[in-house]
Amino acid sequence: MKYPLIIGNWKLNGSNLMVNSLINQLNQKLFNIKNCHIAVAPPILYIDRVSKVISDNIKICAQNVDISLCGAYTGDVSIEMLKEIGVQYVIVGHSERRNYHKEDDNYISKKYSIIKSFDLIPILCIGENETQNKTGKTKEICKLQLASVLDNQGVQAFENAVIAYEPIWAIGTGRCPTPVQIQSVHKFIRDYIATYDMNIAKKLIIQYGGSINEKNAAEIISKPDIDGLLVGNSSLNASVFSKIVKIAQASKLI
Ligand code: 13P
């Protein structure tokens, strides 16, 4: 049985006060949720604290990791450090890192590999920009972004892993592809992985991310190849995020 996976990516948001309040509310609202995998991705500074107080059924996701394990890499954080403080998922290839930090597919593939080698679960973000969308290049771009991991590490790298389809033009804009369009891209991704290994493709969790809210979540998550949601802005509000989790849980309970 594949449970939906809902992750709240807090990005660069928070303060001591805000984190305490968000965690208290999430614990109250979500502690008894079953049949749904839930995680939050706080800024690195708060991970240790969140990990210690969060309800057992809410897992911890890191927003980033470095490719090195130790040494003279000022400002970086290693996968061992993340694992030691209870991180289970790590986001890699987010468009904000691709854009603002110039991370390319090759570098992202190295990050992916280090996450896998420490038995943590990578959330590989892929997706097209607005121009690519308008010129019908969405699937081609997704395929290219997946190829760097497939070529370097083989399809086994997608065992116990997550792909998040996040069209760049939908992130933080309030604009979303239609549920039918998202389903079509997700099916394409699964079919592409299936050309390498049918079983891995079947089990693969494919999340959607980009302007998810409590109004659009139900129709999107109801589609067969949409296994989860990577939620940005809406995850900063405990009531909204909890609603999205409950919608997803109910939608996949058949
Ligand atoms: P928004 O939900 O704010 O559009 O962000 C999506 C995202 O980038 C999640 O990683």
Side-chain angles (χ1 to χ4, degrees), residues 216-237:
N216 60 19
E219 205 184 335
I220 292 173
I221 197 70
S222 71
K223 299 289 177 211
D225 287 295
I226 304 176
D227 308 309
L229 302 168
L230 186 51
V231 185
N233 227 10
S234 295
S235 71
L236 300 173
N237 179 315

Side-chain angles (χ1 to χ4, degrees), residues 56-80:
D56 281 349
N57 64 330
I58 306 177
K59 306 302 177 197
I60 305 292
C61 178
Q63 296 179 19
N64 185 32
V65 67
D66 189 51
I67 57 172
S68 301
L69 291 180
C70 64
Y73 303 100
T74 303
D76 284 324
V77 169
S78 79
I79 193 74
E80 277 179 313

Side-chain angles (χ1 to χ4, degrees), residues 9 11 94 96 166 170-173 209-212 230-234:
N9 178 6
K11 306 192 181 182
H94 196 285
E96 287 149 15
E166 296 207 313
I171 296 176
T173 58
S211 294
I212 282 290
L230 186 51
V231 185
N233 227 10
S234 295

Side-chain angles (χ1 to χ4, degrees), residues 114-172:
I114 199 111
I115 298 165
K116 287 297 291 178
S117 65
F118 278 79
D119 285 330
L120 299 192
I121 303 174
I123 317 282
L124 177 65
C125 297
I126 59 173
E128 81 287 2
N129 65 27
E130 181 131 44
T131 313
Q132 291 159 341
N133 180 273
K134 285 191 173 139
T135 50
K137 296 212 165 76
T138 296
K139 291 175 179 168
E140 187 186 319
I141 293 297
C142 289
K143 196 170 162 179
L144 269 176
Q145 290 173 337
L146 291 174
S148 69
V149 172
L150 279 168
D151 292 349
N152 291 329
Q153 294 157 62
V155 71
Q156 275 68 29
F158 286 102
E159 229 165 342
N160 204 20
V162 178
I163 293 171
Y165 169 54
E166 296 207 313
I168 299 169
W169 55 273
I171 296 176

Side-chain angles (χ1 to χ4, degrees), residues 10-24:
W10 298 359
K11 306 192 181 182
L12 205 172
N13 293 290
S15 64
N16 285 335
L17 198 66
M18 182 268 215
V19 168
N20 289 347
S21 156
L22 191 49
I23 291 306
N24 283 338

